[in-house]
Amino acid sequence: MMRQKPAFILIVQHCGSSQKGRPRRSVRKKLRVCERHVKVAQMENSSSELVFVLHGLNETKTKRQIFFAISLLVYVFTIFVNLTLILIILLEKILHEPMFIFLCNLCLNGICGSTSFYPKLLIDLLSDSHVISYTACIIQIFGISMYLVCDTTNLTVMAYDRYVAICKPLEYHSIMTLQRVRMLLQMMWFLSFFEIIVWFMLAVRLPLCGSRIEKLYCFTWDVVKLSCVDTTLNNIYGYCCFFFHTFQFLLIITSYVQITRICIKSQIERSKFMETCLPHLITISTFSISVIFDVVSARLSSDASLQALRNSLSIMYLIVPPILNPLIYGLKLKQLRRIVWRRFNSKITALK
């Protein structure tokens, strides 16, 4: 029986034989492609650690510099607006209220989600081989999953805060005490961490029979789909998480139904609703629609012609909410807007 040659040797032989009789420019282009394939094949055949190949950037080869510049600007701006809001809330004692504390946590979570996605994307846009090690993939999955779960829980807690503020205004300060706020924040991060840890325990036990991921980034289900064995337990846990987060959204809807009933009767409560609840509703809608886009992208055909559309839909929840949340709250909340403008004007005056 003949011994099979390693994949990268076959690629080199094929590349060498395919260059004969071709124009010089075509030869250079083919060599670059072959070098990339050799590098990927070597990493895939490495016995030290499993390596995944991300195929989401196949359609952006000719405009990588443009996409890199846009992605870098969006990432820097996202970090800037979220960090600005966090620092203002921390530095201004007048903003040390439950609503602004939860908003600060939302912005912090947005930074975590963006940082889990953008750095790897920027590296891939400058590289010919779009590969990621198993360890790096697990770290990225952890960051993005924590962002998703914590964002959902944070929005639920913010809805509860607005319900108490508008439906029970006289009891608000006795209910939303500092101890209660601290407990809600701890519960938010603990539940998210526990949910993701169980995900990991179920995912890392699976032996994998593939390395191809049809996305720009690693996500839990994309790795689970590469498993060689039955994934029924993962599916059951996935449905449990789905029902739990559906319950959270039902709590949000119930809270706003009660808030709307109160606001219809009172002009004062209506103005409070427009100022404090409307930004929250916009945030929830943006996040929900973005997640739905990701679900739709997973259902699309794997046809290469739809790659760009799948990419756009699958990254909406990682780009839109983190950049819109601080802008919506910063522009809509009068108290926060005045402080932002005051600090901005003081900086401008100091520079003159």
Side-chain angles (χ1 to χ4, degrees), residues 232-277:
T232 303
L233 191 59
N234 298 72
N235 295 334
I236 292 172
Y237 183 70
Y239 283 120
C240 292
C241 292
F242 171 77
F243 287 125
F244 173 68
H245 294 301
T246 302
F247 175 70
Q248 287 182 319
F249 276 105
L250 289 175
L251 287 178
I252 294 172
I253 293 169
T254 304
S255 299
Y256 274 98
V257 168
Q258 297 297 324
I259 290 170
T260 305
R261 288 174 60 186
I262 296 294
C263 292
I264 290 173
K265 302 174 184 178
S266 171
Q267 180 65 37
I268 297 173
E269 297 300 333
R270 202 176 304 153
S271 62
K272 188 189 292 187
F273 173 86
M274 293 301 294
E275 182 182 350
T276 62
C277 296

Side-chain angles (χ1 to χ4, degrees), residues 286-348:
T286 304
F287 181 75
S288 303
I289 293 170
S290 301
V291 172
I292 290 170
F293 280 163
D294 181 56
V295 174
V296 171
S297 73
R299 299 292 182 271
L300 288 176
S301 168
S302 58
D303 188 2
S305 61
L306 296 175
Q307 184 69 59
L309 179 60
R310 285 198 304 272
N311 287 347
S312 302
L313 295 177
S314 66
I315 62 176
M316 287 288 286
Y317 71 94
L318 291 166
I319 295 177
V320 179
I323 203 170
L324 276 188
N325 291 346
L327 294 177
I328 290 169
Y329 280 97
L331 294 174
K332 188 63 183 172
L333 295 176
K334 289 180 182 177
Q335 195 176 7
L336 187 57
R337 186 172 67 243
R338 286 170 184 167
I339 293 173
V340 171
W341 280 114
R342 191 187 72 207
R343 285 190 168 270
F344 180 74
N345 289 330
S346 65
K347 294 291 182 183
I348 295 295

Side-chain angles (χ1 to χ4, degrees), residues 34 99 116 155 160 179 246 345 348 350:
C34 289
M99 180 178 68
S116 300
L155 292 171
Y160 170 71
Q179 290 77 15
T246 302
N345 289 330
I348 295 295

